[in-house]
């Protein structure tokens, strides 16, 4: 009897350590299995999946959500990185009437080509939240929406509005490209092993058509303003480092226009610029003028760019405004005014 009791205690401890059906869940993979069937069913219900839908699931794990999805859609494309989970899910669907609906891909979602799908439903590893989101929004083939479980704070940043404490560059970049709604709060005890934070499910519906702007320019402006989101824009743009950056960008833009007028592309058709911005040198607006003062000394040139920047801020009325209070329309107005004054952010 004492030995039997000891084995039961050991089993409970194994579950607390994150062991599942003979193998240990890896923290490095962000593996936290959603164990509450009511939460799983609620996610599926809120996804409003049609019988004709192809559903993308990222990180299916052992298949708690996958099995429910197979019951309501035409096909599930599940992308799983951990080979142990791939084997576990294959075993679990054996003999099921819906097993033929599953296309299980053993790969890293961030590295594999995104397949064509209608709806994405997923409980993802939280450490890849940002790049995964940007990859979905950069997907060239339109999908209706994604219903995804994120860490609570990350999810609340996605839905934050101007003036909210969590409102940030992630908020405005996501909301520029998609409509985001908070669907469901999920406590940490609904997972095995429990994560250190609570979670939330959000619905992300890409805008169609996508806004026709230069995303490099947009993100350059937003990044600059949100580095000190509670600081007035006048104070941000008075900094010498900022002025030198704008001066260098403008010189590069004008040089490219002069060298190759066909490279003038103000607008990009998709949001992949947001995740590939480091790989692209620049894209420029249609009628940028040549800088006739290229030989001007640095201090005089800096004063010139400063005067132009301050003039734009005063003209638009944003000189004493803080990024934390500005919405999408405000930044679009400001970016247009800067570009019209031949001031660039990429």
């Amino acid at each position: 009897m004492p030995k039997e009791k000891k084995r039961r205690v050991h089993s409970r401890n194994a579950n607390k350590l994150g062991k599942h059906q003979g193998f240990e869940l890896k923290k490095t993979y962000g593996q936290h299995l959603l164990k509450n069937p009511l939460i799983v069913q609620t996610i599926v219900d809120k996804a409003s999946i049609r019988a004709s839908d192809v559903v993308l699931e990222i990180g299916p794990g052992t298949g708690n959500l996958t099995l429910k999805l197979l019951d309501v859609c035409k096909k599930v494309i599940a992308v799983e990185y951990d080979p142990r989970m791939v084997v576990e899910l294959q075993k679990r669907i054996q003999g099921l009437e819906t097993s033929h609906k599953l296309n299980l891909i053993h790969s890293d979602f961030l590295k594999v080509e995104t397949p064509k799908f209608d709806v994405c439903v997923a409980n993802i590893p939280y450490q890849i939240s940002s790049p995964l989101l940007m990859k979905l929004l950069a997907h060239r083939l339109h999908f209706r929406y994604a219903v995804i479980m994120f860490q609570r704070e990350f999810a609340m940043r996605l839905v934050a509005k101007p003036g909210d404490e969590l409102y940030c560059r992630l908020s405005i970049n996501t909301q520029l490209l998609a409509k985001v709604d908070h669907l469901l709060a999920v406590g940490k005890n609904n997972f095995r092993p429990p994560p250190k934070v609570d979670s939330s499910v959000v619905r992300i519906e890409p805008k169609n058509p996508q806004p026709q702007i230069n995303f490099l320019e947009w993100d350059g402006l937003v990044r600059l303003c949100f580095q000190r989101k509670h600081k007035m824009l006048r104070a941000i743009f008075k900094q010498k480092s900022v002025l030198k950056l704008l001066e260098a960008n403008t010189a590069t833009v004008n040089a490219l226009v002069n060298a190759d007028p066909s490279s003038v592309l103000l607008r990009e058709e998709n949001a992949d610029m947001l995740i590939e911005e480091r790989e692209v040198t620049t894209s420029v607006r249609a009628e940028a003028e040549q800088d006739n003062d290229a030989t001007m000394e640095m201090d005089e040139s800096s004063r010139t760019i400063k005067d132009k920047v301050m003039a734009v801020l005063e003209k638009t009325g944003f000189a004493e405004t803080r990024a934390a209070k500005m919405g999408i329309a405000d930044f679009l107005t400001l970016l247009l005014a800067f570009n019209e004054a031949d001031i660039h952010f990429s």
Side-chain angles (χ1 to χ4, degrees):
M1 284 298 291
K3 289 184 179 180
E4 183 179 352
K5 183 176 180 180
K6 185 175 181 180
R7 283 197 297 269
R8 287 199 298 267
V9 172
H10 176 74
S11 177
R12 286 198 299 270
N13 289 339
N15 283 334
K16 288 180 181 179
L17 290 172
K19 291 193 175 181
H20 178 80
Q21 300 194 16
F23 58 83
E24 186 175 352
L25 300 178
K26 295 185 177 181
K27 292 183 179 180
T28 54
Y29 291 172
Q31 292 175 336
H32 299 278
L33 304 182
L34 183 58
K35 66 179 184 179
N36 188 333
L38 295 178
I39 298 294
V40 173
Q41 187 61 54
T42 300
I43 292 173
V44 174
D45 292 343
K46 287 185 176 294
S48 302
I49 297 169
R50 302 170 186 170
S52 59
D53 281 340
V54 174
V55 177
L56 172 65
E57 185 183 9
I58 304 159
T62 57
N64 292 343
L65 179 59
T66 313
L67 297 186
K68 293 290 185 181
L69 293 173
L70 289 171
D71 289 336
V72 296
C73 70
K74 177 182 178 181
K75 181 181 180 181
V76 173
I77 302 174
V79 183
E80 175 58 56
Y81 180 72
D82 189 344
R84 302 171 307 163
M85 294 294 184
V86 172
V87 172
E88 189 67 30
L89 182 52
Q90 288 173 334
K91 289 179 180 178
R92 193 169 180 185
I93 65 168
Q94 283 181 355
L96 295 182
E97 293 183 0
T98 56
S99 61
H100 66 283
K101 295 183 179 182
L102 178 63
N103 178 13
L104 182 55
I105 300 173
H106 176 207
S107 185
D108 181 347
F109 177 74
L110 297 180
K111 297 179 181 178
V112 73
E113 182 179 352
T114 307
K116 184 178 179 180
F117 65 96
D118 300 301
V119 178
C120 175
V121 183
N123 169 32
I124 67 168
Y126 293 158
Q127 65 263 37
I128 65 168
S129 294
S130 187
L132 180 147
L133 175 62
M134 289 300 106
K135 182 171 182 177
L136 285 178
L137 292 178
H139 189 41
R140 295 178 183 275
L141 299 176
H142 180 71
F143 60 95
R144 288 208 311 279
Y145 51 80
V147 176
I148 302 178
M149 180 99 70
F150 290 112
Q151 178 180 332
R152 175 73 53 81
E153 183 174 332
F154 186 91
M156 299 316 294
R157 289 182 186 277
L158 294 181
V159 301
K161 301 300 181 185
D164 293 347
E165 182 59 33
L166 291 178
Y167 185 63
C168 60
R169 176 172 160 245
L170 174 67
S171 312
I172 195 167
N173 274 346
T174 303
Q175 292 169 30
L176 173 73
L177 302 171
K179 181 178 182 291
V180 188
D181 296 299
H182 184 274
L183 298 181
L184 178 69
V186 182
K188 63 184 74 173
N189 291 329
N190 291 289
F191 299 86
R192 184 175 62 247
K196 294 180 180 180
V197 295
D198 290 328
S199 305
S200 281
V201 179
V202 299
R203 184 178 187 272
I204 303 166
E205 181 180 350
K207 293 180 180 178
N208 188 23
Q210 290 285 294
Q212 297 296 292
I213 66 169
N214 181 326
F215 286 100
L216 283 175
E217 289 277 337
W218 164 271
D219 195 48
L221 171 62
V222 170
R223 181 195 298 270
L224 188 63
C225 294
F226 274 96
Q227 285 178 349
R228 297 289 186 272
K229 69 176 183 178
H230 295 297
K231 208 170 186 180
M232 289 185 181
L233 295 193
R234 185 201 306 277
I236 292 175
F237 283 96
K238 275 185 177 180
Q239 298 175 75
K240 289 183 179 180
S241 59
V242 172
L243 294 172
K244 287 183 178 181
L245 173 64
L246 298 181
E247 183 181 30
N249 287 342
T250 299
T252 302
V253 165
N254 290 331
L256 286 174
V257 171
N258 294 332
D260 181 12
S262 66
S263 68
V264 180
L265 297 171
L266 174 60
R267 295 173 179 177
E268 297 295 338
E269 294 297 329
N270 52 64
D272 58 353
M273 287 299 189
L274 287 175
I275 55 176
E276 297 177 356
E277 59 186 87
R278 296 186 182 276
E279 302 175 11
V280 182
T281 303
T282 189
S283 59
V284 297
R285 68 182 182 89
E287 296 180 353
E289 300 178 357
Q290 181 178 1
D291 184 3
N292 296 322
D293 300 317
T295 59
M296 189 179 299
E297 292 184 1
M298 180 61 71
D299 58 347
E300 185 177 349
S301 179
S302 295
R303 286 196 297 271
T304 302
I305 193 74
K306 179 179 179 181
D307 292 341
K308 291 170 67 175
V309 167
M310 292 302 122
V312 169
L313 292 176
E314 294 296 340
K315 179 182 177 180
T316 56
F318 292 121
E320 297 183 2
T321 306
R322 296 169 172 83
K325 302 287 186 180
M326 296 174 65
I328 292 173
D330 297 328
F331 277 105
L332 287 174
T333 299
L334 187 58
L335 179 59
L336 177 61
F338 273 127
N339 285 170
E340 287 178 345
D342 197 18
I343 298 170
H344 297 276
F345 296 86
S346 66

